[in-house]
């Protein structure tokens, strides 16, 4: 079955460590996205990539980095520069062309800083 | 910048009843799309319904329908015959019909359906 997978489901990080969240899709979608979700807030865009080897900062990119070396993979690194990284992280993808706007989401990763 | 506002943090409804979730948005664009996403306790985001701004007819998907008032910039979701499985966070979202598909989300409404 086609879809988006995220791993791990739960991740614990010590202060000062970098951690990488995995996102893989087998939908042959061109565009991929990373969102952060905090209690009482909607999803906020961290980074997005419209094609391989290209990505752009979203609204809250500080303290995060990404790469897009393969079409199906879009890993997110949470660096030690991110001051409050405890949150739920969602990866999404779209075909890049119609139907406009529908994003397919992965199951998410819950990151906790100890 | 586009914004989406959901003024109801929490709502509750009994099984089989009807409930309406509110959403307003702000944009100067005329060509855009609106969505309602559902996030159940599993936290998997699921698309519930989509509305194209150029269409006057309100979208409907089984028990879910919208009331789209373009001039008022209002996009409410009506859930008929509520079921226990409808218990979830509901997010309203907006996207412009431009080259890049950037969704703008509201803060969500937590809906509890009780027996």
């Amino acid at each position: 079955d086609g879809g988006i997978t995220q791993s791990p489901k739960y991740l614990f990080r010590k202060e000062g460590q970098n951690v990488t969240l995995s996102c893989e899709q087998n939908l042959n979608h061109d565009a991929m996205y990373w969102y952060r979700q905090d209690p009482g807030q909607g999803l906020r865009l961290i980074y997005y990539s419209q094609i391989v080897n290209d990505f752009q900062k979203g609204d809250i990119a500080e303290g995060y980095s990404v790469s897009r070396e393969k079409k199906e993979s879009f890993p997110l690194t949470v660096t030690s520069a991110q001051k409050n990284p405890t949150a739920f992280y969602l990866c999404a993808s779209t075909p890049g062309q119609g139907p406009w706007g529908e994003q397919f989401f992965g199951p998410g990763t819950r990151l906790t800083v100890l | 910048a586009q914004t989406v506002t959901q003024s109801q943090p929490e709502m509750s409804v009994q099984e089989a009843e009807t409930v309406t979730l509110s959403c307003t948005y702000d944009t100067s664009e005329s060509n855009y799309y609106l969505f309602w996403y559902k996030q159940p306790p599993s936290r998997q985001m699921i698309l519930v319904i989509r509305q194209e701004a150029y269409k006057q007819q309100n979208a409907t998907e089984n028990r879910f329908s919208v009331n789209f008032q373009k001039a008022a910039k209002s996009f409410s979701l009506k859930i008929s015959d509520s079921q226990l499985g409808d218990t979830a966070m509901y997010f309203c979202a907006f996207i412009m019909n431009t080259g890049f598909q950037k969704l703008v989300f509201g803060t969500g409404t937590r809906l509890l359906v009780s027996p």
Side-chain angles (χ1 to χ4, degrees), chain B residues 4-112:
Chain B
V4 176
T5 301
Q6 294 179 250
S7 59
Q8 306 153 313
E10 292 186 1
M11 294 194 71
S12 60
V13 65
Q14 289 196 311
E15 227 177 342
E17 293 186 342
T18 296
V19 63
T20 298
L21 308 183
S22 301
C23 172
T24 58
Y25 58 95
D26 186 23
T27 183
S28 58
E29 300 290 328
S30 60
N31 193 6
Y32 52 86
Y33 293 79
L34 293 159
F35 306 85
W36 279 97
Y37 278 88
K38 169 184 177 181
Q39 188 180 42
S42 67
R43 305 202 76 170
Q44 176 72 54
M45 293 285 284
I46 303 164
L47 178 67
V48 175
I49 200 164
R50 172 178 54 234
Q51 175 78 44
E52 292 88 344
Y54 65 87
K55 289 187 178 179
Q56 293 185 336
Q57 186 173 6
N58 289 324
T60 299
E61 288 287 342
N62 300 315
R63 299 182 295 106
F64 299 87
S65 62
V66 299
N67 183 5
F68 174 48
Q69 302 290 326
K70 191 172 184 178
K73 297 179 182 175
S74 171
F75 183 61
S76 61
L77 174 70
K78 185 172 82 172
I79 305 174
S80 305
D81 186 25
S82 296
Q83 300 176 358
L84 297 178
D86 295 334
T87 292
M89 282 288 288
Y90 287 82
F91 292 96
C92 179
F94 166 99
I95 193 168
M96 289 191 296
N97 188 10
T98 62
F100 169 56
Q101 303 174 14
K102 176 182 172 180
L103 273 172
V104 178
F105 287 87
T107 53
T109 295
R110 184 176 303 279
L111 177 66
L112 175 63

Side-chain angles (χ1 to χ4, degrees), chain A residues 4-21:
Chain A
I4 301 176
T5 57
Q6 291 186 243
S7 61
K9 187 173 182 179
Y10 299 98
L11 185 58
F12 298 90
R13 189 196 93 172
K14 293 182 180 179
E15 294 219 16
Q17 284 183 337
N18 292 354
V19 291
T20 297
L21 284 59

Side-chain angles (χ1 to χ4, degrees), chain A residues 14-90:
Chain A
K14 293 182 180 179
E15 294 219 16
Q17 284 183 337
N18 292 354
V19 291
T20 297
L21 284 59
S22 169
C23 176
E24 304 276 334
Q25 54 99 358
N26 61 4
L27 300 167
N28 199 33
H29 286 175
D30 289 315
M32 297 186 74
Y33 310 77
W34 273 106
Y35 292 94
R36 170 177 171 143
Q37 185 177 20
D38 294 282
Q41 300 194 38
L43 279 65
R44 294 183 291 167
L45 183 64
I46 304 172
Y47 268 98
Y48 63 95
S49 168
Q50 292 179 272
I51 55 172
V52 175
N53 293 322
D54 183 65
F55 49 83
Q56 306 294 330
K57 293 181 179 180
D59 300 319
I60 56 165
E62 184 177 353
Y64 300 97
S65 65
V66 294
S67 63
R68 186 87 187 276
E69 297 176 0
K70 297 186 296 182
K71 187 175 184 177
E72 57 270 22
S73 178
F74 191 42
L76 173 74
T77 297
V78 184
T79 74
S80 57
Q82 170 49 237
K83 293 176 181 163
N84 184 19
T86 294
F88 188 65
Y89 292 86
L90 283 162

